[in-house]
Amino acid sequence: MSPIELFGWILSLLLMVGFIGSLIFISRKPTLLSKSEYTAPQKNNQNPERKGKQY
């Protein structure tokens, strides 16, 4: 195996690991955003001054 082929395989493996890692990171991020979006309206509803007001 020539050095350029070895370099190509190493580069390919690094890119594959980076791509899989980015997919895992992206797939976990929406769950965190949905939790923060879920808790935000509950905090607003607990404010007694705004309970009777509507927009």
Side-chain angles (χ1 to χ4, degrees), residues 8-42:
W9 279 107
I10 292 172
L11 184 62
S12 175
L13 285 173
L14 287 174
L15 289 172
M16 184 177 62
V17 168
F19 178 70
I20 292 172
S22 67
L23 287 178
I24 292 171
F25 177 75
I26 289 172
S27 69
R28 288 186 178 184
K29 198 167 185 175
T31 59
L32 295 176
L33 287 176
S34 64
K35 284 182 184 177
S36 65
E37 289 173 0
Y38 176 73
T39 56
Q42 288 181 343

